[in-house]
Amino acid sequence: QKGIEGKYCLHFHKLHDCPTCLFKNNAIEGSHQRGIIVHGTHSSTVENNVLYNVRGAGIYIEDGNEMYNDIKYNVVLCPNKFGDTTLHGCTVPGTSNRLADTSDNQSGIFSRAVTNSLTGNRVANAFNGMFFSAIGRGRGSSANKVCESDAKLARVEGNTWHGNGRFGTYTLGSNYAKETDQSILNDGHNVDQSLCGGFDGEGYERGAPGSMVDNLDYDNAFVGHYGAGDIQHNGHHSYKNLNLIYWKTTKNFGNGCSGHLVGGSYADGNIALPDQATFIIEDTTFGDGAQFEANHHCNVGITGVLCFPQYVLHNVQWKNSVPRWMWFQSGNHQGHNANQNHGGVFTLSPPNAQVVMGGGLLENNFFPPGFVSLVSHKFTYLLSLPGEPCILSTAYGDRYNRGILCTVPLRSLKVYSQGLESGSAPAMRVEMWFNRAESSGAADSNQIVPFHQIGNDRQTTKQGYSLPVIPGAEHSYRLSLLDGHGEIPSTWVSIDLLSLPFHSRPQLSRLVSLFMNQQVVEFSDHVIGNRWSIEYTNLSLNGFQCGSAGLVSSHHDRRFIWSGDKDFMDAQAWGNTGACAIGQPLDFPQIDCSSINDGILRAAECPELCSTRCNDATTYCDCGSATCKLKPGFTETSNLCAAARCGEHGTCSAKYLGGALPVTLNACICDEGWSGPLCQFNPCETQNELCGGHGACVASSDTESRCNCDLGYSGASCETTCDGFCTGNGGVYPYNCNPNVGESIVRYGCLSGGGCKYLSEGEEYPHGGYCTFREVVQESNTCLCGSENDCELTVACNTDGSCPSPQYLPDSSPCNSVPFGTCAGGACIEDGGTVAPVSRPTRSPSPQPTTAAPVPAPSILPTPKPASPVSRAPTTSSPTGKPISTSSIRVAEWANPNDPSAPVGTYFSFEEEEWEAIFGPLCQFDPCQAQNVACGEHGTCEAVSETEAKCKCDHDYSGDSCEITCSGYCRGGGGSYPYGCNPNLGTTRVKYGCLPRGGCNYLTEGADYPHGGFCTFKEVVHEWDCLGSGSVFKVDLWRGGEVIWTCDVKVWPTSGGISAYGHAASTVAAFQDGDKITPWTAETPFV
């Protein structure tokens, strides 16, 4: 099979337009040359296939002319490590495409053609997850007939790419989609290839906006693009990738409105941002470990232009506790020193900035209070302005890479040049008059800006000058070139006014000796004016008044400047367009972005092509077939997401799984901070936990919350600060300590007189006097109890690691453990079904991550009364065996004195001897005897709950019956315990293992050894403390010879007595004379 072209497992071969072509529900394993191939075929469907251990590309779209094939709900899994010296992942040499199949770029899904839909696919452990390789002009019979990099994006929606060695989402080359004549009628070919150009005849760029929607990337190395424009990531979620976004260059959207990252979330990785656009990030959340990188890859090789984009943050939530949040470029990757790649402006959107500048606060703001913009420390003229609107960020440590923070907005100003050389190009002097006109006297500040060039002399047009400016008609800027005399170089003096193609000019008699046909100037961006409001500044260039009498608009003419194409700028741009064009062309018209939903894009659809209007809620008009097709999550007969009934803070997991069955486990994916089967609970709101204003409250279970404290604060409610106590670093965070030592450190402490201490899990400070300035919650160790029953709440474990009695949702609550279920008697049943007997589930603590943010919480709910009374004989398991009349004990409807937040319930109090006489000793349960647990000569049996027992083995022994010893097996430490290992690492370690030739491993609850060969020489058993506060017993309430109520009772030893508290079912109106209470034990099944 390998290397024989056309010899594939499944292959659509040059079938042209084939809407009936279908590969569905197939399993492909062990193929030695790709899995499923779509070649020269349009409109086919590849659905619900599983590809395992397929060598080369899993799904392969071949020639670049293929259009509107629907690739959906497929799974591609590679079981081999890429670094395996024999298997080399799932790569294979010797095929017809080195890029798609070998270690060069083997991919789960590979396509030369981007106008094909990818929906709900999953690729794991390939070299690349999905790979759009738009770097050619077609292949095979389509060679030189396709503009691959100019093709429009089809639907790319709801895919998951994870654990891939290089990229998850990946587009290579210059992906700048345009309006062309490519269509199925032309067999996917571009007949008029002049339409693949970046500009139309008048110089307007021809971008065709598209969107990648609701995709998930995690545990990849990279995510993103090389050169790519008119691509919006809408609802993108990227976690734990080395680069959450990796993007080299981009452009503004052809619609003049759209943002690049919208409605997504990013955490734990670098965000490598591109050059050459106004890059808008909106309604997006950044979590721990996220870090912005300005101008990624600019000035590396020939990537980038002037390295001065503007990054606009609009309604961004920055929830990041790591010390460093961003960095600017500093290295030089050229063969000359004309390198100014440290540019880039970070700024709040105009409406967000207005809030801050008006004295307001933005929640979870990227900037410190009062600041709205940031640039590199290189632009020092900003530090000398009257009133100090800008400062160095060193007061915040290295959080902002020691850049300059400003209380006023900043925008980019770019002067493109041509014909200069790196060794002789003049520098540029910048002078600013802050809040006044240039004619009002000497400038308030000035700076020399060096020349910048990407590429070699006489081989590039990517050169010029760039700097940040403060927008506003009240400010003035003067730019002057310096050639040693402050004059304009003679090479820049060349004008042919008669060749200017603009109809609106000032008086042609203004023949000015300028370099107007050798420069283009850009101020800010027209997308700012379209989305919010047009901006202005006063600008002169070597004495020439730009714009209208010096007033330049952000909507100035931008024709022929940048479309993303390889040649960068059309020759017609030089001197004829931009902010300082001598012909003064008209400004761009302002676009009403509200008419196109502020540029927020949906997955590709073509409503204008369908003869009848599609139902927007359930269907979309497919661009290939011009018919209405079902949206993800819908079948012909049902709405899978409506079946899940997720609350407004949840997203149904069925949407992108394919198939027709509702999801019954984890049907709802909760927003950060929300919990519950329907994402209906927010414990932070219920418990009114505000974290002292110095932290964020997050849900730790359905009923409990905790605080993630801001840096410099600690305590359960972030009530402790070390400011003023620890004197290092001037008494402010991080107090001359290292705030980020590593993942194993969970507490960071400082001393008042100087000195630091870093503690791992279970460690304590060596003595008093330390103040904790940072606490790290190890969420993976959070112990939670619950079950797969949606009607049971997930709650925190007891302090000893055991599970408390289950808590259930009220009857009639929606649940998904069965399709369209409702809760009844603690069980999830089909709506209208009968209630099955509810037995106590087998529950064990299970550490699991708990990601959250502010959240609502339920009340503590009682174990419900069975649907009908169950008659049974009184239990005889207590020492006396007789039911006890309530008249012999004290009963009242009281609030729980040990938990005032609990609902009013039934409170019993006993004398200690009274309890023992009636119910037996508090520790009456003996699961060791009941289960006949034998521990041999090397251990003792211990109860771990009222019904379970386990052997607690002597040191050097392990196993269910303490039958295993490591003596004679592990040779470390002379072959005797503890075998050169540490036998006491704290309460979190439950297993201690050694290897025969040396080496140790220490496991927390639920963890496994990384490989075989370990011998366990110590196992920790957490004993059940039945006398501990909050121990749980069950009691039955008898009336008229039958049990009418079974209740979980929490017991507290008190001075001289016992307190027991339970919450009665609502059907028990009050206790009556003659009511009797008996203990419930393991020998009496609970029905």
Side-chain angles (χ1 to χ4, degrees):
Q1 182 189 14
K2 184 180 76 170
I4 303 176
E5 193 161 8
K7 197 171 182 66
Y8 312 123
C9 294
L10 294 174
H11 186 192
F12 288 139
H13 181 69
K14 295 189 176 182
L15 299 175
H16 305 291
D17 190 18
C18 189
T20 59
C21 289
L22 173 68
F23 288 143
K24 185 174 182 179
N25 297 341
N26 300 285
I28 300 175
E29 180 178 0
S31 169
H32 282 262
Q33 184 172 237
R34 306 176 190 147
I36 298 174
I37 285 74
V38 179
H39 183 194
T41 299
H42 318 293
S43 307
S44 72
T45 300
V46 177
E47 180 178 6
N48 285 352
N49 302 286
V50 176
L51 296 90
Y52 179 80
N53 199 18
V54 169
R55 309 201 71 79
I59 298 173
Y60 181 78
I61 300 177
E62 189 159 344
D63 276 356
N65 69 312
E66 297 84 2
M67 297 185 74
Y68 297 112
N69 296 287
D70 205 0
I71 315 299
K72 57 186 180 181
Y73 311 125
N74 302 284
V75 177
V76 183
L77 300 171
C78 176
N80 312 313
K81 292 182 178 180
F82 185 78
D84 188 302
T85 56
T86 301
L87 298 174
H88 304 287
C90 285
T91 65
V92 62
T95 71
S96 60
N97 191 331
R98 169 187 57 80
L99 197 63
D101 302 322
T102 72
S103 57
D104 190 319
N105 267 301
Q106 180 269 334
S107 305
I109 299 177
F110 176 93
S111 179
R112 299 175 68 102
V114 304
T115 314
N116 294 281
S117 293
L118 306 181
T119 304
N121 300 287
R122 279 139 174 81
V123 176
N125 201 41
F127 193 53
N128 296 302
M130 57 82 70
F131 184 9
F132 283 160
S133 175
I135 57 176
R137 308 289 290 182
R139 178 191 175 278
S141 59
S142 293
N144 298 314
K145 297 179 180 179
V146 181
C147 304
E148 291 179 7
S149 65
D150 305 298
K152 294 168 71 172
L153 190 68
R155 297 178 77 88
V156 180
E157 182 179 13
N159 302 284
T160 297
W161 322 113
H162 70 94
N164 298 293
R166 195 159 184 254
F167 278 84
T169 300
Y170 186 22
T171 68
L172 179 64
S174 297
N175 288 264
Y176 291 99
K178 301 176 182 70
E179 300 288 350
T180 71
D181 63 358
Q182 185 185 29
S183 72
I184 292 175
L185 295 177
N186 297 332
D187 198 23
H189 298 151
N190 294 98
V191 178
D192 182 359
Q193 295 199 10
S194 69
L195 297 176
C196 301
F199 302 103
D200 65 16
E202 296 184 2
Y204 294 101
E205 58 102 351
R206 307 182 62 256
S211 186
M212 294 182 171
V213 177
D214 290 346
N215 294 287
L216 171 63
D217 284 277
Y218 68 94
D219 281 339
N220 308 294
F222 303 95
V223 175
H225 320 276
Y226 276 31
D230 285 289
I231 294 178
Q232 180 180 87
H233 285 275
N234 185 348
H236 184 214
H237 303 283
S238 182
Y239 309 118
K240 293 188 177 180
N241 304 290
L242 291 179
N243 291 273
L244 304 170
I245 284 290
Y246 180 96
W247 204 330
K248 293 185 179 181
T249 54
T250 189
K251 61 180 282 292
N252 292 334
F253 285 77
N255 60 23
C257 296
S258 294
H260 293 77
L261 304 181
V262 176
S265 58
Y266 300 84
D268 200 1
N270 188 47
I271 303 157
L273 296 170
D275 184 29
Q276 203 54 17
T278 290
F279 194 94
I280 298 177
I281 305 172
E282 56 185 307
D283 299 317
T284 294
T285 298
F286 296 92
D288 267 349
Q291 183 184 68
F292 286 143
E293 177 188 358
N295 284 319
H296 161 245
H297 220 272
C298 196
N299 211 29
V300 178
I302 59 171
T303 306
V305 185
L306 292 188
C307 303
F308 219 99
Q310 45 193 40
Y311 307 113
V312 179
L313 309 183
H314 180 58
N315 298 338
V316 163
Q317 294 287 302
W318 190 264
K319 301 178 179 180
N320 196 346
S321 64
V322 298
R324 186 164 175 175
W325 291 358
M326 68 146 313
W327 57 293
F328 295 98
Q329 302 300 320
S330 59
N332 185 12
H333 303 280
Q334 298 293 331
H336 53 72
N337 292 321
N339 171 47
Q340 307 299 320
N341 64 346
H342 48 257
V345 168
F346 289 85
T347 186
L348 293 179
S349 66
N352 286 177
Q354 198 60 44
V355 171
V356 174
M357 293 166 67
L361 291 175
L362 295 177
E363 186 179 8
N364 299 314
N365 190 1
F366 172 76
F367 295 97
F371 294 96
V372 300
S373 56
L374 170 73
V375 290
S376 164
H377 71 277
K378 300 272 189 177
F379 299 99
T380 55
Y381 89 91
L382 294 167
L383 301 175
S384 302
L385 297 175
E388 296 186 351
C390 301
I391 65 168
L392 281 173
S393 66
T394 50
Y396 302 94
D398 203 29
R399 175 178 294 181
Y400 300 103
N401 197 202
R402 302 182 180 273
I404 295 174
L405 287 165
C406 295
T407 59
V408 292
L410 294 175
R411 299 289 182 261
S412 62
L413 181 66
K414 294 181 277 191
V415 180
Y416 303 98
S417 67
Q418 62 174 334
L420 300 181
E421 296 187 6
S422 59
S424 58
M428 176 176 282
R429 176 191 289 124
V430 179
E431 298 170 277
M432 184 191 183
W433 287 258
F434 186 68
N435 283 324
R436 58 196 182 98
E438 181 180 338
S439 60
S440 62
D444 292 308
S445 186
N446 66 82
Q447 180 177 350
I448 303 300
V449 174
F451 174 68
H452 172 81
Q453 178 175 296
I454 290 178
N456 297 326
D457 291 339
R458 296 183 295 278
Q459 296 179 6
T460 179
T461 56
K462 295 180 176 182
Q463 58 172 239
Y465 309 84
S466 56
L467 67 147
V469 297
I470 302 172
E474 65 275 22
H475 307 305
S476 301
Y477 282 89
R478 180 166 66 195
L479 310 180
S480 308
L481 291 174
L482 303 177
D483 64 352
H485 303 286
E487 300 294 333
I488 307 164
S490 60
T491 56
W492 284 40
V493 183
S494 176
I495 302 174
D496 182 4
L497 288 177
L498 296 179
S499 70
L500 295 177
F502 302 109
H503 304 291
S504 176
R505 305 186 184 107
Q507 297 178 0
L508 292 179
S509 59
R510 288 195 310 163
L511 297 177
V512 185
S513 294
L514 295 172
F515 54 95
M516 288 299 115
N517 68 340
Q518 297 288 317
Q519 61 74 40
V520 172
V521 177
E522 278 195 290
F523 160 64
S524 187
D525 212 318
H526 67 290
V527 69
I528 299 288
N530 291 335
R531 284 293 301 271
W532 297 294
S533 59
I534 297 175
E535 299 175 325
Y536 298 89
T537 193
N538 291 285
L539 178 65
S540 68
L541 184 58
N542 282 300
F544 175 76
Q545 296 292 312
C546 300
S548 176
L551 186 65
V552 172
S553 160
S554 59
H555 258 57
H556 66 73
D557 186 83
R558 283 181 164 82
R559 286 179 288 174
F560 296 114
I561 294 180
W562 172 249
S563 68
D565 282 355
K566 184 177 180 180
D567 294 332
F568 162 51
M569 191 176 295
D570 191 280
Q572 297 183 69
W574 296 107
N576 298 325
T577 187
C580 293
I582 194 171
Q584 291 188 355
L586 293 174
D587 284 354
F588 275 12
Q590 190 173 14
I591 296 171
D592 179 11
C593 293
S594 65
S595 66
I596 56 171
N597 195 30
D598 286 334
I600 297 174
L601 304 172
R602 300 196 291 188
E605 56 185 348
C606 298
E608 70 281 4
L609 298 182
C610 286
S611 57
T612 59
R613 180 170 179 171
C614 302
N615 182 339
D616 285 345
T618 61
T619 60
Y620 66 95
C621 183
D622 177 61
C623 297
S625 64
T627 60
C628 295
K629 288 189 175 182
L630 288 168
K631 290 183 176 180
F634 292 90
T635 70
E636 295 292 346
T637 58
S638 64
N639 178 346
L640 299 180
C641 287
R645 295 158 295 175
C646 302
E648 63 177 312
H649 298 287
T651 302
C652 84
S653 60
K655 184 174 183 180
Y656 295 114
L657 293 181
L661 296 176
V663 171
T664 56
L665 179 63
N666 299 324
C668 298
I669 303 168
C670 298
D671 293 345
E672 184 182 11
W674 292 82
S675 62
L678 308 182
C679 306
Q680 70 270 48
F681 300 142
N682 188 320
C684 293
E685 290 184 4
T686 303
Q687 298 174 354
N688 194 31
E689 178 58 78
L690 303 177
C691 301
H694 300 294
C697 180
V698 298
S700 54
S701 73
D702 292 345
T703 60
E704 294 91 11
S705 65
R706 60 175 170 78
C707 289
N708 281 346
C709 298
D710 296 340
L711 297 178
Y713 290 85
S714 64
S717 297
C718 306
E719 70 279 7
T720 301
T721 178
C722 301
D723 286 358
F725 178 82
C726 295
T727 55
N729 195 40
V732 297
Y733 176 88
Y735 317 103
N736 281 345
C737 297
N738 185 342
N740 193 23
V741 174
E743 293 184 359
S744 64
I745 303 302
V746 297
R747 275 199 291 174
Y748 294 71
C750 55
L751 285 168
S752 59
C756 314
K757 188 70 178 177
Y758 312 105
L759 304 180
S760 299
E761 189 74 44
E763 291 184 330
E764 298 293 339
Y765 292 120
H767 52 76
Y770 282 95
C771 179
T772 298
F773 64 86
R774 185 183 178 201
E775 283 184 299
V776 179
V777 177
Q778 300 282 8
E779 293 182 340
S780 61
N781 292 331
T782 302
C783 182
L784 298 174
C785 291
S787 72
E788 295 182 2
N789 173 16
D790 270 4
C791 296
E792 180 184 342
L793 300 183
T794 298
V795 298
C797 301
N798 293 326
T799 54
D800 64 358
S802 63
C803 284
S805 296
Q807 302 173 28
Y808 297 114
L809 290 173
D811 289 355
S812 300
S813 297
C815 57
N816 292 304
S817 300
V818 299
F820 305 97
T822 57
C823 295
C828 186
I829 64 170
E830 286 190 48
D831 195 15
T834 57
V835 184
V838 181
S839 59
R840 183 176 182 179
T842 301
R843 308 164 74 244
S844 60
S846 56
Q848 62 187 66
T850 308
T851 55
V855 216
S859 300
I860 305 272
L861 297 169
T863 302
K865 171 181 168 293
S868 58
V870 180
S871 299
R872 64 179 183 222
T875 178
T876 58
S877 59
S878 70
T880 61
K882 64 175 183 177
I884 305 301
S885 169
T886 56
S887 59
S888 65
I889 56 176
R890 290 155 295 287
V891 179
E893 297 287 329
W894 289 351
N896 180 356
N898 296 281
D899 185 3
S901 65
V904 172
T906 303
Y907 178 80
F908 311 91
S909 62
F910 303 85
E911 299 296 330
E912 190 168 6
E913 59 273 14
E914 209 171 32
W915 174 277
E916 186 166 343
I918 299 167
F919 293 97
L922 276 177
C923 296
Q924 70 197 71
F925 305 112
D926 188 359
C928 290
Q929 182 177 356
Q931 297 178 6
N932 194 26
V933 176
C935 301
E937 299 179 358
H938 303 291
T940 56
C941 180
E942 298 287 353
V944 295
S945 73
E946 64 187 56
T947 59
E948 298 172 279
K950 194 172 183 180
C951 286
K952 182 178 181 180
C953 301
D954 299 339
H955 289 168
D956 201 18
Y957 288 88
S958 63
D960 291 342
S961 301
C962 303
E963 71 279 12
I964 298 172
T965 179
C966 302
S967 180
Y969 178 82
C970 294
R971 299 171 190 169
S976 60
Y977 177 88
Y979 309 103
C981 301
N982 188 337
N984 191 20
L985 283 177
T987 57
T988 61
R989 306 294 176 174
V990 296
K991 273 191 185 181
Y992 295 70
C994 54
L995 285 168
R997 295 187 178 181
C1000 314
N1001 203 282
Y1002 313 102
L1003 304 181
T1004 55
E1005 190 72 47
D1008 292 316
Y1009 292 120
H1011 52 76
F1014 281 94
C1015 178
T1016 298
F1017 64 84
K1018 179 182 176 183
E1019 228 173 340
V1020 178
V1021 175
H1022 295 294
E1023 303 170 26
W1024 177 53
D1025 180 12
C1026 68
L1027 287 173
S1029 178
S1031 298
V1032 176
F1033 293 83
K1034 286 186 180 293
V1035 296
D1036 291 335
L1037 176 69
W1038 292 77
R1039 182 177 297 166
E1042 65 180 18
V1043 176
I1044 65 167
W1045 170 47
T1046 297
C1047 175
D1048 282 346
V1049 172
K1050 289 189 176 182
V1051 176
W1052 289 266
T1054 59
S1055 57
I1058 301 294
S1059 294
Y1061 166 83
H1063 182 247
S1066 59
T1067 53
V1068 181
F1071 286 91
Q1072 302 174 7
D1073 287 343
D1075 287 350
K1076 302 181 184 299
I1077 297 172
T1078 58
W1080 184 94
T1081 69
E1083 287 81 5
T1084 307
F1086 172 52
V1087 180

